[in-house]
Amino acid sequence: MQSLRKKVALRSGNQMTAEGAIQAGCKFFAGYPITPASGIYKGMIDMLPLNGGIAISSPDEISALTYCVGASMRGFKAMTATSGPGWALMIETLQYALITETPVVIAVVQRLGPSTGGATQGGQGDIMITEFATSGGYTIPVLYPTNAKECFELTLKAFDWSEKYRTPVVLLTDKEIGMTTESVNYAGLYELSSAERKNIRNSDADIKKWKMYGFDSPDMITKFANVGGEVKVTATGSAHNAMGYLKKNDKETIATLLHLEEKILAHKDEMVEVKKELQDGADTLVISFGITARTLKDAVKLAREGGRKVSSLIIYSMFPIPEREIILSCDNCTRIVVAEENISGQYRKLIEPLFAGKEVVGVNKIGSMITTMEIAERIV
Amino acid sequence: MQVQENCTYMTSGAVMPFCKGCGHSNILKKLNEALGELKLDPKDVCLVTDIGCIGLTDALFDKVHTVHTTHGRSTGFATGIAVADKVLAEKRLKTIVLIGDGGSMIGLLHIVNAALMNVDLTVIVANNFLFGMTGGQQSSLTPEHFITQTTPFGNMNPSLDICGIAEASKAGFIARAVASDKDLSGLMAKAIQHSGFSIVEILELCTEHATKRNDLKGSMLAKMAEAEGHKLGILRNDVERREFSVKYAADVQSHLKEMKPPRFIEPIEGHKLKMPVGFIISGSAGERVQSSAGMLCQAALRCGLEVTQKNDNPVTQGSGFSLSEVIISPEEINYTGVSEADFVVVVSETGMKELKAQDIYQRISDKTVFIVDESIELDEVSSKVIKLPLRKMCGGDKASLGALDYVIRNYSLFDHEIFIKLLEKKFGEYSKIFRGEYYLDLV
Ligand code: SF4
Ligand SMILES: [Mg+2]
C-alpha cells in the first residue's frame, strides 16, 4: 500500500481537469474567466506550454469555443472551460462542432443559476441545458466526476470519446468539485491515455471511398481530414451531404444528419461509466452523480448502519443515459431515490420512465450541498 | 448567371449562385486571381466563410479547404485554425475569412480580437450595406438615409466604419476598395501576403435589394463611402508589428524554464487519527484565512491523511468574509462540508458574522472546541471556548495560522513538526513567526 501512496498532492478538481487534459494530449486551450471554472483556464495557461501546447485568452465565451473548434479542425485536441452563463453563449458553437463532427471537450463547472445566479455557489442545474442544447435533440456525451482524481480520469475519457466518435463531449462538474481542494493519490493516473485522432491520408487504401461526412454503417466514424492537411476539407454547419456540401432535404442529407445521432447510439454500450453498490435484499436504490454522489455514499453507509438494506448507483456517464445499468440496478427495488442539487429533479425526470411501477422520490435543493441527513431521511 | 472558365482554385465551370450583377461574383473571381498571383498551393489555403450569400462560396472553391461557419463567428474559427497552424503545425496555411457586412458586426469582437492578437489571417468584408440573403434588411454598415426593407424611410443611423475599428484594433493591413476596382486582385493578394492580421472591406452592390430601393450604381459607391467619412485605398500597411506566433515564441515560449510542472508530496506515517476531524475557519478577506487552511491541509497530507478544503467567500475576493471548511481523515472523505465541527476558528468580527449567517450554532456539539480571538463575542454554548489574543500576538494576517498552529500543537492531530517545517519554509524561523508570548503555554 505504501508504494501506491508515493505520489500524492493537494489539488482542486479544476487543476485535475487541466492535468487530465494534458495527459490526454490536449494541445490547445482557449479560456474566458468565470467562477467557478477559472482554475482550469489558469492551470492550462501555466502548464500547457510546457507540454507542447498553447493556451490563450479569448474576449468572450463564444470566441473561446470557436477558437477551440478551429484548432481542432487544424488537427489538435482542444478544450475550453466555462460555467452556466458562459455555457449559454457557447451553445451555438457546440452545435457547430456536433454537425461538423469536430472533436472538442468543454468543461462545464456548474454554479447556482439561473442567469448570473451565484458565482461562488454550487449547483447541478445545467443537466438539461447541457444535454438538450441542440436543435433536433442530438445526444451530447456528458461525463460527470465526483472528485478531483476523477476529474483527471474523466477528462481523459472525454477526450477519448471525443476523438473516437468525432463529437463534442462535455465534462460536467460543479463548484464543489471544481474548487474544493483535496488529497489526490496519483497511483495509476499517468498510465492512462486517450484515443488519438484517425486522420485520412492520400496513401490510405480507403481514400477513393472516403467522404468528409461519409459512412456505410450506423457505427462508422469516418476518418478526419485536417484543415491544411493533404486531403481537402469541406466543412459546414449547414445541413449537408456526405461530401460536405449544403443540401436541402435530399435523402443523403437527412441520412447524414441522422448519422450524427446513430453513431453515438451505436457505441452506447462502450460509453457506460457507473459505480454500482448493490445489496442483497435491498428494496431501495439511491442514485446520484457529481458532488451529491459523495454525500450519497455517506447516507447509504448511515442507513446500512441503521439496519436498512439499500443499494446505490453513481452515474458518471450521464449521457448517453446508461439505461441498461440503471434498470439492472433497480431490479428488486420498489423505491428509487434520486438526489441532485437542482429544483426540479432534472435527471430524475429523464430516468423516471425506466422505473415503471416503482415509487420514485427526489431529493432536491438549491443554494448549498445536499447533506447526508437529507438523503438518509428519504431512505425510509 | 456567369460561368467561370480557366479557374485554378475555383471549381472549373462553376456556376455562380448569386443574382445577376451581384458584387459577390466579381469579388470571388478576383480572389481566385489573387490566389493565383501568389501561386499558393491550394492545400495551403483555407477559406472560412460566414453566413449570408457570401457564405455560398465554399461550393465554388473545390481545390482549397473550405470551412463554412456560423453567423459572424467565421473570424473566431479562423483564429483557432491560424493560431494552431502557426504555433503548433507547419505554418503553411493562408486563412481567409469571407464575411458580409451583417456578419462583420455580429462577429465584431472576433475581428477586433484577431487584429489585437495579430493572428495571420485575412478578413474580406463583402459590404453591400444590407442583409441580402434574408430580404435586404438594414445592417450596422448601412449608410445613413439608405433605404432597406427595414428602413423604408431611410436608415436613421450612420454606418459603422469597420476599417476604423480595425485601425483602433491595431490591424497591420487595412484597405477599403470597390468591387469593380481594376486591381482588386492585387489588393487582395497584398492583404493575404501580409504576415499578421489584414482586412479588406469591399464595397459592392446587392442588385436584388439595394439597387431596387436606392438610386445607386456601382460608380457611385466610392462617393457614397466618402460621404460617410470612410476613406478608400490602403489605409495602413504596417510590416513592423510581429505576427502572433512570432510574438508568442518571444514572450511565452522563451519562458518555459520558469514554468513549473505539478508538484507532489511523499506521505509519511505522521498521525494516529482514527476518526475524521472537521475544522471551520473564518475571518476576513485578505488575512490569509484560506491559505492558512491550505497549510493545515498540506501538513495533514504529508502526514498520511486524506484532506478536503472547501472555501467560501463573497463574489468579490478581496473584501468581506473568508472561510474554509477543512476535513482531515484517515479514510476517504465523501461529504466535503463540516456538519459537526471539531474545531471552529474565528479570527475576526466579519468572520463571526458570516458564521452566524451559516448557522454555526447548529453545526457544533459538546465536543466542539472554539478557538477565537479575544475580541469576538460568542453566544452561550456548551462547547469549549478558548479565547486568545490571536490578532495581537500573530497579527491579523497570521491570526488563523496561529490558531491552527495552536490546535495542532495541543491536540496532537498529526506530527506538529511537519507543520512547523511548512511554516518555516514560508515565514522563516518558527520561534520568530509570532510574537514571543504566543509560544508560552497559551491556556
Ligand atoms: S440577394 Fe443580393 S447579395 Fe444575395 S446574391 Fe442576390 S444580389 Fe447578391
Ligand atoms: Mg450584406
Side-chain angles (χ1 to χ4, degrees):
Chain A
M1 261 333 262
Q2 197 59 27
S3 68
L4 278 182
R5 291 210 47 125
K6 256 196 180 138
K7 260 187 172 179
V8 300
L10 200 60
R11 297 274 195 270
S12 68
N14 284 341
Q15 285 167 317
M16 292 305 281
T17 298
E19 288 182 35
I22 289 169
Q23 177 75 7
C26 175
K27 288 286 180 276
F28 187 95
F29 183 93
Y32 184 83
I34 187 167
T35 308
S38 301
I40 301 173
Y41 179 15
K42 175 65 176 152
M44 292 304 252
I45 289 280
D46 288 346
M47 293 185 292
L48 200 47
L50 260 185
N51 292 277
I54 176 169
I56 57 171
S57 308
S58 57
D60 74 333
E61 287 92 342
I62 299 175
S63 304
L65 189 52
T66 58
Y67 293 177
C68 289
V69 171
S72 180
M73 286 178 151
R74 181 64 191 85
F76 299 92
K77 290 182 182 174
M79 180 171 89
T80 185
T82 190
S83 187
W87 181 225
L89 297 180
M90 287 183 180
I91 283 167
E92 175 192 47
T93 311
L94 167 83
Q95 301 198 50
Y96 183 78
L98 177 96
I99 193 171
T100 57
E101 304 187 53
T102 308
V104 69
V105 174
I106 307 122
V108 179
V109 186
Q110 298 167 95
R111 68 191 217 184
L112 179 70
S115 186
T116 307
T120 56
Q121 283 163 279
Q124 298 185 297
D126 295 346
I127 296 161
M128 289 294 213
I129 199 177
T130 298
E131 186 52 27
F132 299 102
T134 64
S135 303
Y138 295 85
T139 300
I140 306 290
V142 177
L143 287 156
Y144 195 167
T146 74
N147 60 34
K149 184 171 186 170
E150 289 167 6
C151 283
F152 187 103
E153 295 165 335
L154 293 189
T155 301
L156 268 130
K157 181 69 59 186
F159 275 99
D160 190 68
W161 287 3
S162 181
E163 295 296 339
K164 269 189 193 148
Y165 312 126
R166 288 190 55 177
T167 177
V169 175
V170 172
L171 180 86
L172 195 63
T173 72
D174 52 63
K175 179 257 168 186
E176 302 298 348
I177 292 168
M179 292 184 73
T180 295
T181 51
E182 59 184 323
S183 38
V184 174
N185 184 339
Y186 273 71
L189 290 188
Y190 289 139
E191 279 103 73
L192 299 174
S193 62
S194 85
E196 292 307 324
R197 190 172 298 180
K198 287 203 181 95
N199 289 309
I200 183 75
R201 294 189 204 296
N202 277 331
S203 53
D204 287 355
D206 51 353
I207 184 71
K208 285 243 163 63
K209 256 179 56 190
W210 180 88
K211 285 180 185 159
M212 188 73 194
Y213 302 112
F215 59 94
D216 34 50
S217 61
D219 62 340
M220 179 170 159
I221 315 289
T222 197
K223 286 184 187 165
F224 194 89
N226 291 337
V227 167
E230 56 190 36
V231 177
K232 177 194 149 39
V233 167
T234 310
T236 177
S238 298
H240 48 254
N241 61 13
M243 298 274 283
Y245 289 111
L246 187 154
K247 283 276 166 348
K248 195 176 165 188
N249 263 1
D250 65 9
K251 251 189 172 167
E252 186 178 312
T253 301
I254 297 297
T256 309
L257 284 174
L258 287 175
H259 185 65
L260 296 174
E261 181 66 3
E262 262 172 14
K263 68 175 182 182
I264 301 296
L265 298 185
H267 292 277
K268 209 173 139 187
D269 293 345
E270 304 152 24
M271 303 170 83
V272 175
E273 300 288 333
V274 299
K275 199 179 275 169
K276 282 185 284 192
E277 254 210 47
L278 308 184
Q279 196 174 29
D280 275 345
D283 55 12
T284 301
L285 170 71
V286 194
I287 299 176
S288 196
F289 40 82
I291 186 66
T292 310
R294 300 171 68 134
T295 316
L296 167 153
K297 285 192 197 167
D298 282 347
V300 166
K301 198 170 151 213
L302 196 70
R304 285 178 184 165
E305 279 165 9
R308 291 282 294 110
K309 290 207 157 136
V310 52
S311 291
S312 72
L313 176 69
I314 295 174
I315 298 177
Y316 299 100
S317 56
M318 301 285 286
F319 299 98
I321 296 175
E323 289 169 351
R324 189 148 24 130
E325 290 299 319
I326 295 174
I327 291 169
L328 288 175
S329 304
C330 75
D331 233 5
N332 298 308
C333 298
T334 51
R335 184 177 161 87
I336 316 292
V337 178
V338 187
E340 53 191 310
E341 200 181 319
N342 58 51
I343 52 168
S344 52
Q346 296 187 349
Y347 203 68
R348 167 170 43 91
K349 283 184 184 164
L350 293 173
I351 59 176
E352 204 158 358
L354 304 175
F355 307 123
K358 300 180 197 285
E359 185 190 5
V360 181
V361 202
V363 182
N364 298 93
K365 174 186 188 181
I366 55 166
S368 61
M369 294 191 294
I370 293 174
T371 63
T372 308
M373 283 313 294
E374 284 164 343
I375 298 179
E377 276 163 10
R378 303 296 175 91
I379 309 175
V380 286
Chain B
M1 301 272 181
Q2 289 170 272
V3 178
Q4 299 297 330
E5 300 289 4
N6 307 323
C7 299
T8 44
Y9 301 84
M10 282 178 129
T11 316
S12 61
V15 177
M16 289 286 173
F18 310 114
C19 308
K20 190 164 182 275
C22 172
H24 292 350
S25 302
N26 197 47
I27 292 175
L28 296 181
K29 209 178 96 196
K30 296 291 177 184
L31 173 63
N32 183 39
E33 283 172 28
L35 296 173
E37 282 170 36
L38 295 171
K39 298 196 172 58
L40 294 172
D41 179 339
K43 292 286 147 54
D44 291 350
V45 177
C46 179
L47 295 185
V48 183
T49 59
D50 211 82
I51 294 294
C53 297
I54 196 72
L56 301 172
T57 302
D58 52 345
L60 302 172
F61 284 79
D62 68 347
K63 310 285 191 298
V64 306
H65 300 287
T66 57
V67 178
H68 179 45
T69 68
T70 45
H71 199 29
R73 313 296 162 212
S74 47
T75 318
F77 292 103
T79 299
I81 292 171
V83 167
D85 181 70
K86 294 292 180 301
V87 176
L88 302 171
E90 299 96 343
K91 306 177 194 278
R92 287 188 289 101
L93 212 53
K94 283 292 175 191
T95 309
I96 301 158
V97 172
L98 286 163
I99 192 168
D101 46 301
S104 74
M105 185 58 168
I106 187 175
L108 189 64
L109 90 168
H110 310 301
I111 295 177
V112 167
N113 204 57
L116 290 173
M117 289 170 77
N118 205 21
V119 183
D120 191 28
L121 58 86
T122 300
V123 176
I124 293 172
V125 182
N127 180 10
N128 55 14
F129 318 110
L130 44 70
F131 289 90
M133 189 175 253
T134 46
Q137 295 87 353
Q138 176 251 9
S139 85
S140 302
L141 272 67
T142 304
E144 202 167 353
H145 311 304
F146 203 77
I147 296 173
T148 70
Q149 190 199 56
T150 51
T151 53
F153 310 110
N155 183 24
M156 295 187 294
N157 308 336
S159 62
L160 181 79
D161 177 358
I162 190 87
C163 291
I165 297 274
E167 226 171 308
S169 313
K170 311 282 189 284
F173 186 96
I174 309 169
R176 183 181 281 119
V178 176
S180 55
D181 279 358
K182 281 217 175 60
D183 194 29
L184 188 63
S185 63
L187 183 69
M188 283 199 240
K190 270 201 190 93
I192 295 165
Q193 211 170 17
H194 177 84
S195 170
F197 182 87
S198 57
I199 184 167
V200 183
E201 179 191 352
I202 305 171
L203 311 177
E204 50 149 352
L205 295 178
C206 168
T207 45
E208 180 66 18
H209 302 296
T211 49
K212 283 184 186 161
R213 292 189 173 102
N214 298 274
D215 175 24
L216 187 65
K217 287 192 199 80
S219 56
M220 293 156 74
L221 290 171
K223 275 221 173 72
M224 200 170 92
E226 270 157 18
E228 292 275 303
H230 302 172
K231 292 194 192 78
L232 286 140
I234 296 179
L235 307 175
R236 183 186 283 160
N237 189 2
D238 173 3
V239 292
E240 297 299 308
R241 241 192 115 200
R242 289 174 299 171
E243 182 271 322
F244 177 80
S245 67
V246 177
K247 206 165 153 47
Y248 182 77
D251 295 3
V252 180
Q253 286 171 323
S254 65
H255 290 276
L256 292 186
K257 277 206 190 91
E258 295 151 53
M259 297 181 191
K260 292 185 184 68
R263 297 241 293 258
F264 301 97
I265 287 179
E266 267 193 50
I268 55 162
E269 295 196 15
H271 76 92
K272 292 198 185 70
L273 279 190
K274 294 275 179 295
M275 296 280 287
V277 176
F279 293 77
I280 300 176
I281 307 151
S282 190
S284 304
E287 294 193 341
R288 295 179 192 269
V289 175
Q290 295 177 0
S291 64
S292 302
M295 292 178 84
L296 162 70
C297 292
Q298 288 285 353
L301 182 68
R302 171 92 168 114
C303 292
L305 289 159
E306 300 287 335
V307 301
T308 60
Q309 179 185 353
K310 169 173 148 64
N311 294 333
D312 195 8
N313 45 261
V315 278
T316 48
Q317 287 188 359
S319 68
F321 72 94
S322 180
L323 191 147
S324 283
E325 290 173 61
V326 170
I327 302 170
I328 63 176
S329 166
E331 285 157 23
E332 181 189 19
I333 302 162
N334 295 317
Y335 182 70
T336 56
V338 175
S339 36
E340 201 181 289
D342 295 281
F343 296 96
V344 180
V345 171
V346 197
V347 295
S348 78
E349 200 44 58
T350 310
M352 191 61 225
K353 225 173 113 191
E354 179 59 24
L355 281 185
K356 283 183 187 157
Q358 298 196 10
D359 289 332
I360 185 64
Y361 296 120
Q362 310 300 314
R363 298 162 68 190
I364 55 171
S365 71
D366 296 354
K367 282 179 257 155
T368 304
V369 179
F370 277 86
I371 317 279
V372 301
D373 186 72
E374 57 184 2
S375 63
I376 310 270
E377 289 303 324
L378 278 185
D379 285 11
E380 196 67 36
V381 286
S382 58
S383 314
K384 182 171 181 183
V385 177
I386 302 173
K387 284 202 172 191
L388 298 173
L390 288 165
R391 300 188 70 86
K392 268 190 205 143
M393 293 187 303
C394 310
D397 67 332
K398 291 200 197 75
S400 31
L401 203 61
L404 293 174
D405 181 61
Y406 175 87
V407 172
I408 299 163
R409 181 148 65 108
N410 289 285
Y411 290 86
S412 354
L413 303 175
F414 53 81
D415 191 348
H416 185 220
E417 279 304 312
I418 297 291
F419 193 61
I420 290 177
K421 265 192 208 148
L422 217 59
L423 291 182
E424 293 198 323
K425 221 170 136 189
K426 190 149 184 154
F427 302 108
E429 203 181 314
Y430 177 59
S431 62
K432 291 188 182 134
I433 297 173
F434 310 114
R435 269 172 57 175
E437 318 89 273
Y438 173 84
Y439 302 96
L440 303 173
D441 202 351
L442 282 175
V443 183

